[in-house]
Amino acid sequence: MENIMVWIWLAVTVIAIVVEIITPELVSLWFAIGGIVGIAFSFIPGLPWWGEIIIFAVLSMILLLSLRPVLSKYLKRKSLATNVDRLIGQDIRMITQADFDNLGSAKIGDVVWSVKSENQSSLLADEIVRIVAVDGNKLIARHIENAQTEG
């Protein structure tokens, strides 16, 4: 039975690694580590297969519950900013009006963007607004206090 358990733990490890690669949510990584430990424990003579399963389950859950939150926060902090993030804070001129029911539009460079109001108020055509966020392919904008429009 010990020889079979080595292959079972190897299969568990490989499957967990493949699942982690497909869905990088830091969930199955801990089961892969548990599988590696399971391989090591399968070489201990006299350790029953159910003991290996208990060690695998306990270790995997401890790693999942203790290390995943820490690593998730660390990896989120290290995310890369995109070029679109540079648009935040820019002032732009609206081409078409944005209101509660409709998206407006504004041109930045050669690209026409959909614009949505931050607080569902109307952003008028030809008004200068400030970009405060990017949501998918839409810019979120707000009124600029005392903004003067150019004629």
Side-chain angles (χ1 to χ4, degrees):
M1 184 71 172
E2 298 341 326
N3 194 17
I4 293 173
M5 289 308 289
V6 171
W7 293 106
I8 291 173
W9 292 126
L10 183 61
V12 167
T13 303
V14 169
I15 290 169
I17 290 171
V18 168
V19 169
E20 186 63 39
I21 289 170
I22 293 171
T23 60
E25 296 294 325
L26 292 177
V27 174
S28 59
L29 171 66
W30 316 113
F31 296 100
I33 294 170
I36 292 169
V37 171
I39 291 172
F41 275 98
S42 67
F43 289 111
I44 297 176
L47 182 64
W49 61 270
W50 51 267
E52 294 174 27
I53 292 174
I54 291 172
I55 292 169
F56 164 78
V58 169
L59 177 65
S60 297
M61 293 314 283
I62 289 172
L63 291 173
L64 175 67
L65 297 175
S66 64
L67 294 180
R68 184 179 184 272
V70 175
L71 277 179
S72 292
K73 285 181 186 177
Y74 177 75
L75 291 176
K76 283 184 183 177
R77 252 188 279 141
K78 295 292 185 180
S79 65
L80 297 174
T82 63
N83 289 339
V84 176
D85 293 334
R86 290 189 291 165
L87 299 176
I88 296 173
Q90 284 189 13
D91 296 343
I92 58 171
R93 184 180 304 277
M94 296 293 295
I95 296 173
T96 61
Q97 178 176 327
D99 54 36
F100 182 78
D101 294 325
N102 302 305
L103 293 173
S105 61
K107 190 172 186 179
I108 301 174
D110 293 333
V111 180
V112 176
W113 288 83
S114 297
V115 180
K116 183 168 120 176
S117 174
E118 178 184 40
N119 56 6
Q120 303 302 325
S121 63
S122 293
L123 302 174
L124 303 175
D126 230 20
E127 178 182 9
I128 297 176
V129 297
R130 180 161 295 142
I131 302 169
V132 294
V134 179
D135 181 19
N137 63 349
K138 292 180 283 301
L139 301 176
I140 311 299
R142 76 163 69 125
H143 296 278
I144 300 175
E145 304 304 320
N146 302 323
Q148 299 294 322
T149 57
E150 296 177 10

